[in-house]
mmCIF file of all heavy atoms in Angstrom:
data_model
loop_
_atom_site.group_PDB
_atom_site.id
_atom_site.type_symbol
_atom_site.label_atom_id
_atom_site.label_comp_id
_atom_site.label_asym_id
_atom_site.label_seq_id
_atom_site.Cartn_x
_atom_site.Cartn_y
_atom_site.Cartn_z
ATOM 1 N N LEU Q 82 -39.324 -50.032 -5.735
ATOM 2 C CA LEU Q 82 -38.878 -51.291 -6.232
ATOM 3 C C LEU Q 82 -38.424 -52.196 -5.134
ATOM 4 O O LEU Q 82 -38.851 -53.387 -5.032
ATOM 5 C CB LEU Q 82 -37.706 -51.077 -7.195
ATOM 6 C CG LEU Q 82 -36.938 -52.300 -7.630
ATOM 7 C CD1 LEU Q 82 -37.771 -53.258 -8.403
ATOM 8 C CD2 LEU Q 82 -35.668 -51.942 -8.453
ATOM 9 N N ALA Q 83 -37.635 -51.610 -4.174
ATOM 10 C CA ALA Q 83 -37.110 -52.381 -3.044
ATOM 11 C C ALA Q 83 -38.269 -52.942 -2.196
ATOM 12 O O ALA Q 83 -38.261 -54.076 -1.773
ATOM 13 C CB ALA Q 83 -36.177 -51.610 -2.213
ATOM 14 N N ALA Q 84 -39.312 -52.093 -1.952
ATOM 15 C CA ALA Q 84 -40.462 -52.486 -1.171
ATOM 16 C C ALA Q 84 -41.257 -53.567 -1.827
ATOM 17 O O ALA Q 84 -41.619 -54.613 -1.192
ATOM 18 C CB ALA Q 84 -41.353 -51.283 -0.922
ATOM 19 N N HIS Q 85 -41.391 -53.455 -3.199
ATOM 20 C CA HIS Q 85 -42.084 -54.492 -3.915
ATOM 21 C C HIS Q 85 -41.333 -55.834 -3.828
ATOM 22 O O HIS Q 85 -41.930 -56.916 -3.631
ATOM 23 C CB HIS Q 85 -42.254 -54.034 -5.398
ATOM 24 C CG HIS Q 85 -42.604 -55.166 -6.405
ATOM 25 N ND1 HIS Q 85 -43.943 -55.600 -6.453
ATOM 26 C CD2 HIS Q 85 -41.914 -55.926 -7.158
ATOM 27 C CE1 HIS Q 85 -43.947 -56.619 -7.349
ATOM 28 N NE2 HIS Q 85 -42.752 -56.829 -7.851
ATOM 29 N N LEU Q 86 -40.006 -55.758 -3.982
ATOM 30 C CA LEU Q 86 -39.223 -56.999 -3.949
ATOM 31 C C LEU Q 86 -39.292 -57.635 -2.557
ATOM 32 O O LEU Q 86 -39.474 -58.859 -2.452
ATOM 33 C CB LEU Q 86 -37.777 -56.723 -4.294
ATOM 34 C CG LEU Q 86 -37.545 -56.336 -5.799
ATOM 35 C CD1 LEU Q 86 -36.150 -55.754 -5.928
ATOM 36 C CD2 LEU Q 86 -37.825 -57.421 -6.720
ATOM 37 N N ALA Q 87 -39.165 -56.802 -1.498
ATOM 38 C CA ALA Q 87 -39.190 -57.373 -0.160
ATOM 39 C C ALA Q 87 -40.474 -58.057 0.128
ATOM 40 O O ALA Q 87 -40.531 -59.059 0.853
ATOM 41 C CB ALA Q 87 -39.079 -56.164 0.824
ATOM 42 N N ALA Q 88 -41.611 -57.554 -0.515
ATOM 43 C CA ALA Q 88 -42.934 -58.236 -0.222
ATOM 44 C C ALA Q 88 -43.157 -59.375 -1.110
ATOM 45 O O ALA Q 88 -44.167 -60.053 -0.943
ATOM 46 C CB ALA Q 88 -44.002 -57.087 -0.482
ATOM 47 N N SER Q 89 -42.334 -59.590 -2.099
ATOM 48 C CA SER Q 89 -42.702 -60.658 -3.081
ATOM 49 C C SER Q 89 -41.669 -61.848 -3.134
ATOM 50 O O SER Q 89 -41.797 -62.710 -3.999
ATOM 51 C CB SER Q 89 -42.784 -60.027 -4.490
ATOM 52 O OG SER Q 89 -41.575 -59.380 -4.821
ATOM 53 N N GLY Q 90 -40.802 -61.903 -2.153
ATOM 54 C CA GLY Q 90 -39.935 -63.099 -2.089
ATOM 55 C C GLY Q 90 -38.487 -62.733 -2.018
ATOM 56 O O GLY Q 90 -38.040 -61.576 -2.168
ATOM 57 N N PRO Q 91 -37.602 -63.776 -1.841
ATOM 58 C CA PRO Q 91 -36.168 -63.514 -1.712
ATOM 59 C C PRO Q 91 -35.517 -63.049 -2.996
ATOM 60 O O PRO Q 91 -36.033 -63.431 -4.086
ATOM 61 C CB PRO Q 91 -35.606 -64.824 -1.300
ATOM 62 C CG PRO Q 91 -36.611 -65.845 -1.640
ATOM 63 C CD PRO Q 91 -37.919 -65.259 -1.752
ATOM 64 N N VAL Q 92 -34.451 -62.292 -2.904
ATOM 65 C CA VAL Q 92 -33.728 -61.883 -4.095
ATOM 66 C C VAL Q 92 -32.330 -62.391 -3.980
ATOM 67 O O VAL Q 92 -31.606 -62.285 -2.913
ATOM 68 C CB VAL Q 92 -33.607 -60.279 -4.131
ATOM 69 C CG1 VAL Q 92 -32.912 -59.845 -5.429
ATOM 70 C CG2 VAL Q 92 -35.011 -59.683 -4.112
ATOM 71 N N HIS Q 93 -31.861 -62.995 -4.995
ATOM 72 C CA HIS Q 93 -30.552 -63.661 -4.995
ATOM 73 C C HIS Q 93 -29.512 -63.006 -5.855
ATOM 74 O O HIS Q 93 -28.324 -63.243 -5.727
ATOM 75 C CB HIS Q 93 -30.669 -65.158 -5.393
ATOM 76 C CG HIS Q 93 -31.564 -65.934 -4.436
ATOM 77 N ND1 HIS Q 93 -32.849 -66.266 -4.916
ATOM 78 C CD2 HIS Q 93 -31.472 -66.417 -3.221
ATOM 79 C CE1 HIS Q 93 -33.557 -66.892 -3.936
ATOM 80 N NE2 HIS Q 93 -32.670 -66.963 -2.897
ATOM 81 N N ALA Q 94 -29.974 -62.259 -6.840
ATOM 82 C CA ALA Q 94 -29.016 -61.591 -7.797
ATOM 83 C C ALA Q 94 -29.528 -60.289 -8.232
ATOM 84 O O ALA Q 94 -30.812 -60.104 -8.464
ATOM 85 C CB ALA Q 94 -28.755 -62.515 -8.940
ATOM 86 N N LEU Q 95 -28.663 -59.350 -8.321
ATOM 87 C CA LEU Q 95 -28.899 -58.002 -9.062
ATOM 88 C C LEU Q 95 -28.053 -57.968 -10.217
ATOM 89 O O LEU Q 95 -26.852 -58.015 -10.191
ATOM 90 C CB LEU Q 95 -28.557 -56.857 -8.119
ATOM 91 C CG LEU Q 95 -28.437 -55.475 -8.819
ATOM 92 C CD1 LEU Q 95 -29.744 -55.070 -9.451
ATOM 93 C CD2 LEU Q 95 -27.950 -54.405 -7.771
ATOM 94 N N VAL Q 96 -28.654 -57.836 -11.413
ATOM 95 C CA VAL Q 96 -27.911 -57.658 -12.681
ATOM 96 C C VAL Q 96 -28.246 -56.283 -13.211
ATOM 97 O O VAL Q 96 -29.368 -55.999 -13.640
ATOM 98 C CB VAL Q 96 -28.371 -58.725 -13.715
ATOM 99 C CG1 VAL Q 96 -27.447 -58.673 -15.012
ATOM 100 C CG2 VAL Q 96 -28.189 -60.147 -13.163
ATOM 101 N N HIS Q 97 -27.290 -55.363 -13.064
ATOM 102 C CA HIS Q 97 -27.523 -53.994 -13.410
ATOM 103 C C HIS Q 97 -27.059 -53.722 -14.779
ATOM 104 O O HIS Q 97 -25.875 -53.597 -15.070
ATOM 105 C CB HIS Q 97 -26.838 -53.095 -12.391
ATOM 106 C CG HIS Q 97 -27.202 -51.635 -12.532
ATOM 107 N ND1 HIS Q 97 -28.461 -51.194 -12.498
ATOM 108 C CD2 HIS Q 97 -26.452 -50.541 -12.852
ATOM 109 C CE1 HIS Q 97 -28.488 -49.877 -12.669
ATOM 110 N NE2 HIS Q 97 -27.328 -49.516 -12.934
ATOM 111 N N VAL Q 98 -27.957 -53.643 -15.684
ATOM 112 C CA VAL Q 98 -27.679 -53.439 -17.161
ATOM 113 C C VAL Q 98 -28.081 -52.025 -17.594
ATOM 114 O O VAL Q 98 -27.497 -51.448 -18.461
ATOM 115 C CB VAL Q 98 -28.402 -54.490 -18.017
ATOM 116 C CG1 VAL Q 98 -27.969 -54.357 -19.427
ATOM 117 C CG2 VAL Q 98 -28.150 -55.893 -17.537
ATOM 118 N N ALA Q 99 -29.077 -51.446 -16.891
ATOM 119 C CA ALA Q 99 -29.628 -50.088 -17.393
ATOM 120 C C ALA Q 99 -28.448 -49.101 -17.523
ATOM 121 O O ALA Q 99 -27.594 -49.045 -16.697
ATOM 122 C CB ALA Q 99 -30.669 -49.645 -16.393
ATOM 123 N N GLY Q 100 -28.524 -48.305 -18.538
ATOM 124 C CA GLY Q 100 -27.512 -47.309 -18.768
ATOM 125 C C GLY Q 100 -27.471 -46.914 -20.192
ATOM 126 O O GLY Q 100 -28.446 -47.198 -20.923
ATOM 127 N N GLY Q 101 -26.492 -46.219 -20.616
ATOM 128 C CA GLY Q 101 -26.381 -45.856 -22.015
ATOM 129 C C GLY Q 101 -25.493 -44.656 -22.253
ATOM 130 O O GLY Q 101 -24.843 -44.108 -21.304
ATOM 131 N N ALA Q 102 -25.505 -44.168 -23.501
ATOM 132 C CA ALA Q 102 -24.660 -43.088 -23.943
ATOM 133 C C ALA Q 102 -25.564 -41.999 -24.626
ATOM 134 O O ALA Q 102 -26.572 -42.305 -25.223
ATOM 135 C CB ALA Q 102 -23.609 -43.538 -24.949
ATOM 136 N N ARG Q 103 -25.154 -40.807 -24.446
ATOM 137 C CA ARG Q 103 -25.785 -39.669 -25.108
ATOM 138 C C ARG Q 103 -24.735 -38.803 -25.773
ATOM 139 O O ARG Q 103 -23.884 -38.224 -25.038
ATOM 140 C CB ARG Q 103 -26.623 -38.828 -24.186
ATOM 141 C CG ARG Q 103 -27.903 -39.554 -23.671
ATOM 142 C CD ARG Q 103 -28.979 -39.806 -24.737
ATOM 143 N NE ARG Q 103 -30.177 -40.451 -24.236
ATOM 144 C CZ ARG Q 103 -30.287 -41.767 -24.141
ATOM 145 N NH1 ARG Q 103 -29.327 -42.579 -24.487
ATOM 146 N NH2 ARG Q 103 -31.432 -42.234 -23.641
ATOM 147 N N GLY Q 104 -24.708 -38.653 -27.061
ATOM 148 C CA GLY Q 104 -23.780 -37.750 -27.725
ATOM 149 C C GLY Q 104 -22.461 -38.359 -28.002
ATOM 150 O O GLY Q 104 -22.049 -39.424 -27.450
ATOM 151 N N ALA Q 105 -21.760 -37.809 -29.035
ATOM 152 C CA ALA Q 105 -20.414 -38.348 -29.386
ATOM 153 C C ALA Q 105 -19.551 -37.069 -29.687
ATOM 154 O O ALA Q 105 -18.817 -37.008 -30.695
ATOM 155 C CB ALA Q 105 -20.531 -39.192 -30.608
ATOM 156 N N ASP Q 106 -19.719 -36.086 -28.834
ATOM 157 C CA ASP Q 106 -19.059 -34.837 -29.092
ATOM 158 C C ASP Q 106 -17.677 -34.744 -28.417
ATOM 159 O O ASP Q 106 -17.417 -35.430 -27.415
ATOM 160 C CB ASP Q 106 -19.922 -33.689 -28.463
ATOM 161 C CG ASP Q 106 -21.254 -33.631 -29.169
ATOM 162 O OD1 ASP Q 106 -21.320 -33.718 -30.374
ATOM 163 O OD2 ASP Q 106 -22.236 -33.495 -28.418
ATOM 164 N N ARG Q 107 -16.827 -33.837 -28.978
ATOM 165 C CA ARG Q 107 -15.606 -33.515 -28.326
ATOM 166 C C ARG Q 107 -15.777 -32.905 -26.963
ATOM 167 O O ARG Q 107 -16.930 -32.403 -26.782
ATOM 168 C CB ARG Q 107 -14.778 -32.545 -29.178
ATOM 169 C CG ARG Q 107 -14.317 -33.061 -30.560
ATOM 170 C CD ARG Q 107 -14.046 -31.918 -31.502
ATOM 171 N NE ARG Q 107 -12.980 -31.074 -30.993
ATOM 172 C CZ ARG Q 107 -11.723 -31.155 -31.314
ATOM 173 N NH1 ARG Q 107 -11.251 -32.096 -32.120
ATOM 174 N NH2 ARG Q 107 -10.815 -30.389 -30.799
ATOM 175 N N VAL Q 108 -14.898 -32.987 -26.093
ATOM 176 C CA VAL Q 108 -14.994 -32.416 -24.752
ATOM 177 C C VAL Q 108 -15.447 -30.945 -24.831
ATOM 178 O O VAL Q 108 -16.443 -30.534 -24.170
ATOM 179 C CB VAL Q 108 -13.755 -32.524 -23.933
ATOM 180 C CG1 VAL Q 108 -13.764 -31.756 -22.646
ATOM 181 C CG2 VAL Q 108 -13.374 -33.984 -23.700
ATOM 182 N N GLU Q 109 -14.830 -30.212 -25.737
ATOM 183 C CA GLU Q 109 -15.137 -28.790 -25.815
ATOM 184 C C GLU Q 109 -16.519 -28.457 -26.280
ATOM 185 O O GLU Q 109 -16.989 -27.341 -26.135
ATOM 186 C CB GLU Q 109 -14.063 -28.088 -26.658
ATOM 187 C CG GLU Q 109 -14.024 -28.569 -28.060
ATOM 188 C CD GLU Q 109 -12.770 -28.061 -28.804
ATOM 189 O OE1 GLU Q 109 -12.344 -26.901 -28.536
ATOM 190 O OE2 GLU Q 109 -12.253 -28.737 -29.671
ATOM 191 N N ASP Q 110 -17.142 -29.487 -26.981
ATOM 192 C CA ASP Q 110 -18.491 -29.244 -27.568
ATOM 193 C C ASP Q 110 -19.565 -29.939 -26.736
ATOM 194 O O ASP Q 110 -20.725 -29.981 -27.118
ATOM 195 C CB ASP Q 110 -18.512 -29.736 -28.996
ATOM 196 C CG ASP Q 110 -17.543 -29.030 -29.913
ATOM 197 O OD1 ASP Q 110 -17.251 -27.755 -29.618
ATOM 198 O OD2 ASP Q 110 -16.922 -29.707 -30.712
ATOM 199 N N GLY Q 111 -19.157 -30.655 -25.593
ATOM 200 C CA GLY Q 111 -20.067 -31.463 -24.912
ATOM 201 C C GLY Q 111 -21.365 -30.785 -24.416
ATOM 202 O O GLY Q 111 -21.240 -29.623 -24.013
ATOM 203 N N ASP Q 112 -22.459 -31.486 -24.498
ATOM 204 C CA ASP Q 112 -23.743 -30.910 -24.015
ATOM 205 C C ASP Q 112 -23.880 -31.312 -22.511
ATOM 206 O O ASP Q 112 -23.941 -32.483 -22.220
ATOM 207 C CB ASP Q 112 -24.860 -31.497 -24.815
ATOM 208 C CG ASP Q 112 -26.224 -31.048 -24.402
ATOM 209 O OD1 ASP Q 112 -26.371 -30.580 -23.299
ATOM 210 O OD2 ASP Q 112 -27.199 -31.226 -25.239
ATOM 211 N N PRO Q 113 -23.942 -30.314 -21.613
ATOM 212 C CA PRO Q 113 -24.015 -30.691 -20.200
ATOM 213 C C PRO Q 113 -25.246 -31.574 -19.870
ATOM 214 O O PRO Q 113 -25.129 -32.416 -18.995
ATOM 215 C CB PRO Q 113 -24.169 -29.308 -19.497
ATOM 216 C CG PRO Q 113 -23.594 -28.330 -20.492
ATOM 217 C CD PRO Q 113 -23.860 -28.905 -21.879
ATOM 218 N N ALA Q 114 -26.309 -31.425 -20.587
ATOM 219 C CA ALA Q 114 -27.512 -32.230 -20.345
ATOM 220 C C ALA Q 114 -27.159 -33.721 -20.665
ATOM 221 O O ALA Q 114 -27.567 -34.642 -19.935
ATOM 222 C CB ALA Q 114 -28.649 -31.759 -21.256
ATOM 223 N N HIS Q 115 -26.378 -33.967 -21.694
ATOM 224 C CA HIS Q 115 -25.948 -35.328 -22.059
ATOM 225 C C HIS Q 115 -25.114 -35.907 -20.983
ATOM 226 O O HIS Q 115 -25.216 -37.036 -20.540
ATOM 227 C CB HIS Q 115 -25.232 -35.299 -23.391
ATOM 228 C CG HIS Q 115 -26.046 -35.176 -24.648
ATOM 229 N ND1 HIS Q 115 -25.553 -34.807 -25.863
ATOM 230 C CD2 HIS Q 115 -27.418 -35.440 -24.800
ATOM 231 C CE1 HIS Q 115 -26.575 -34.817 -26.730
ATOM 232 N NE2 HIS Q 115 -27.649 -35.156 -26.059
ATOM 233 N N TRP Q 116 -24.084 -35.133 -20.563
ATOM 234 C CA TRP Q 116 -23.218 -35.605 -19.523
ATOM 235 C C TRP Q 116 -23.911 -35.956 -18.188
ATOM 236 O O TRP Q 116 -23.676 -36.949 -17.556
ATOM 237 C CB TRP Q 116 -22.096 -34.564 -19.249
ATOM 238 C CG TRP Q 116 -21.002 -34.559 -20.287
ATOM 239 C CD1 TRP Q 116 -21.147 -34.287 -21.638
ATOM 240 C CD2 TRP Q 116 -19.592 -34.810 -20.101
ATOM 241 N NE1 TRP Q 116 -19.978 -34.371 -22.228
ATOM 242 C CE2 TRP Q 116 -18.994 -34.722 -21.355
ATOM 243 C CE3 TRP Q 116 -18.818 -35.143 -18.993
ATOM 244 C CZ2 TRP Q 116 -17.605 -34.936 -21.545
ATOM 245 C CZ3 TRP Q 116 -17.474 -35.330 -19.172
ATOM 246 C CH2 TRP Q 116 -16.886 -35.234 -20.498
ATOM 247 N N ARG Q 117 -24.862 -35.001 -17.842
ATOM 248 C CA ARG Q 117 -25.666 -35.283 -16.645
ATOM 249 C C ARG Q 117 -26.470 -36.566 -16.800
ATOM 250 O O ARG Q 117 -26.535 -37.390 -15.902
ATOM 251 C CB ARG Q 117 -26.629 -34.105 -16.397
ATOM 252 C CG ARG Q 117 -26.185 -33.227 -15.299
ATOM 253 C CD ARG Q 117 -27.136 -32.106 -14.980
ATOM 254 N NE ARG Q 117 -26.389 -30.885 -14.887
ATOM 255 C CZ ARG Q 117 -26.387 -29.882 -15.721
ATOM 256 N NH1 ARG Q 117 -27.263 -29.967 -16.787
ATOM 257 N NH2 ARG Q 117 -25.645 -28.832 -15.606
ATOM 258 N N TRP Q 118 -27.074 -36.759 -17.965
ATOM 259 C CA TRP Q 118 -27.871 -37.988 -18.233
ATOM 260 C C TRP Q 118 -27.010 -39.189 -18.009
ATOM 261 O O TRP Q 118 -27.406 -40.206 -17.376
ATOM 262 C CB TRP Q 118 -28.484 -37.945 -19.620
ATOM 263 C CG TRP Q 118 -29.452 -39.089 -19.761
ATOM 264 C CD1 TRP Q 118 -30.800 -39.175 -19.548
ATOM 265 C CD2 TRP Q 118 -29.169 -40.441 -20.202
ATOM 266 N NE1 TRP Q 118 -31.321 -40.339 -19.702
ATOM 267 C CE2 TRP Q 118 -30.272 -41.185 -20.199
ATOM 268 C CE3 TRP Q 118 -27.967 -41.064 -20.653
ATOM 269 C CZ2 TRP Q 118 -30.311 -42.545 -20.564
ATOM 270 C CZ3 TRP Q 118 -28.009 -42.374 -21.016
ATOM 271 C CH2 TRP Q 118 -29.204 -43.129 -20.974
ATOM 272 N N MET Q 119 -25.844 -39.172 -18.610
ATOM 273 C CA MET Q 119 -24.946 -40.386 -18.526
ATOM 274 C C MET Q 119 -24.473 -40.697 -17.149
ATOM 275 O O MET Q 119 -24.409 -41.847 -16.765
ATOM 276 C CB MET Q 119 -23.760 -40.132 -19.454
ATOM 277 C CG MET Q 119 -24.156 -40.311 -20.979
ATOM 278 S SD MET Q 119 -22.784 -40.329 -22.141
ATOM 279 C CE MET Q 119 -22.382 -38.597 -22.278
ATOM 280 N N PHE Q 120 -24.237 -39.646 -16.315
ATOM 281 C CA PHE Q 120 -23.865 -39.898 -14.927
ATOM 282 C C PHE Q 120 -25.071 -40.446 -14.113
ATOM 283 O O PHE Q 120 -24.869 -41.353 -13.333
ATOM 284 C CB PHE Q 120 -23.260 -38.662 -14.306
ATOM 285 C CG PHE Q 120 -21.771 -38.579 -14.632
ATOM 286 C CD1 PHE Q 120 -21.340 -38.117 -15.829
ATOM 287 C CD2 PHE Q 120 -20.799 -38.952 -13.780
ATOM 288 C CE1 PHE Q 120 -20.027 -38.076 -16.266
ATOM 289 C CE2 PHE Q 120 -19.443 -38.915 -14.135
ATOM 290 C CZ PHE Q 120 -19.055 -38.456 -15.363
ATOM 291 N N GLU Q 121 -26.186 -39.902 -14.409
ATOM 292 C CA GLU Q 121 -27.493 -40.413 -13.721
ATOM 293 C C GLU Q 121 -27.654 -41.841 -14.100
ATOM 294 O O GLU Q 121 -27.923 -42.717 -13.256
ATOM 295 C CB GLU Q 121 -28.667 -39.480 -14.182
ATOM 296 C CG GLU Q 121 -28.733 -38.109 -13.738
ATOM 297 C CD GLU Q 121 -29.585 -38.050 -12.476
ATOM 298 O OE1 GLU Q 121 -30.191 -39.036 -12.022
ATOM 299 O OE2 GLU Q 121 -29.749 -36.910 -12.018
ATOM 300 N N ALA Q 122 -27.628 -42.157 -15.420
ATOM 301 C CA ALA Q 122 -28.071 -43.413 -15.918
ATOM 302 C C ALA Q 122 -27.057 -44.533 -15.610
ATOM 303 O O ALA Q 122 -27.427 -45.674 -15.333
ATOM 304 C CB ALA Q 122 -28.273 -43.430 -17.419
ATOM 305 N N ASN Q 123 -25.792 -44.205 -15.574
ATOM 306 C CA ASN Q 123 -24.731 -45.263 -15.468
ATOM 307 C C ASN Q 123 -24.176 -45.322 -14.069
ATOM 308 O O ASN Q 123 -23.818 -46.386 -13.609
ATOM 309 C CB ASN Q 123 -23.628 -45.026 -16.537
ATOM 310 C CG ASN Q 123 -24.117 -45.158 -17.925
ATOM 311 O OD1 ASN Q 123 -24.431 -46.241 -18.364
ATOM 312 N ND2 ASN Q 123 -24.155 -44.076 -18.627
ATOM 313 N N VAL Q 124 -23.990 -44.180 -13.431
ATOM 314 C CA VAL Q 124 -23.225 -44.182 -12.091
ATOM 315 C C VAL Q 124 -24.284 -44.064 -10.932
ATOM 316 O O VAL Q 124 -24.347 -44.932 -10.075
ATOM 317 C CB VAL Q 124 -22.259 -43.073 -12.024
ATOM 318 C CG1 VAL Q 124 -21.394 -43.231 -10.749
ATOM 319 C CG2 VAL Q 124 -21.360 -43.027 -13.227
ATOM 320 N N LEU Q 125 -25.046 -43.025 -10.960
ATOM 321 C CA LEU Q 125 -25.884 -42.715 -9.817
ATOM 322 C C LEU Q 125 -27.009 -43.811 -9.618
ATOM 323 O O LEU Q 125 -27.304 -44.284 -8.516
ATOM 324 C CB LEU Q 125 -26.501 -41.295 -9.921
ATOM 325 C CG LEU Q 125 -25.534 -40.167 -10.098
ATOM 326 C CD1 LEU Q 125 -26.255 -38.805 -10.117
ATOM 327 C CD2 LEU Q 125 -24.499 -40.163 -8.943
ATOM 328 N N SER Q 126 -27.490 -44.227 -10.746
ATOM 329 C CA SER Q 126 -28.553 -45.268 -10.641
ATOM 330 C C SER Q 126 -27.976 -46.575 -10.165
ATOM 331 O O SER Q 126 -28.609 -47.295 -9.308
ATOM 332 C CB SER Q 126 -29.346 -45.505 -11.966
ATOM 333 O OG SER Q 126 -28.471 -46.150 -12.916
#
Side-chain angles (χ1 to χ4, degrees):
L82 167 66
H85 166 79
L86 292 168
S89 56
V92 181
H93 303 102
L95 162 62
V96 185
H97 187 60
V98 185
R103 291 292 181 274
D106 300 315
R107 294 160 60 93
V108 172
E109 60 192 328
D110 302 322
D112 179 341
H115 284 161
W116 282 61
R117 255 184 228 109
W118 187 90
M119 287 188 277
F120 276 79
E121 290 262 0
N123 295 291
V124 188
L125 304 183
S126 71

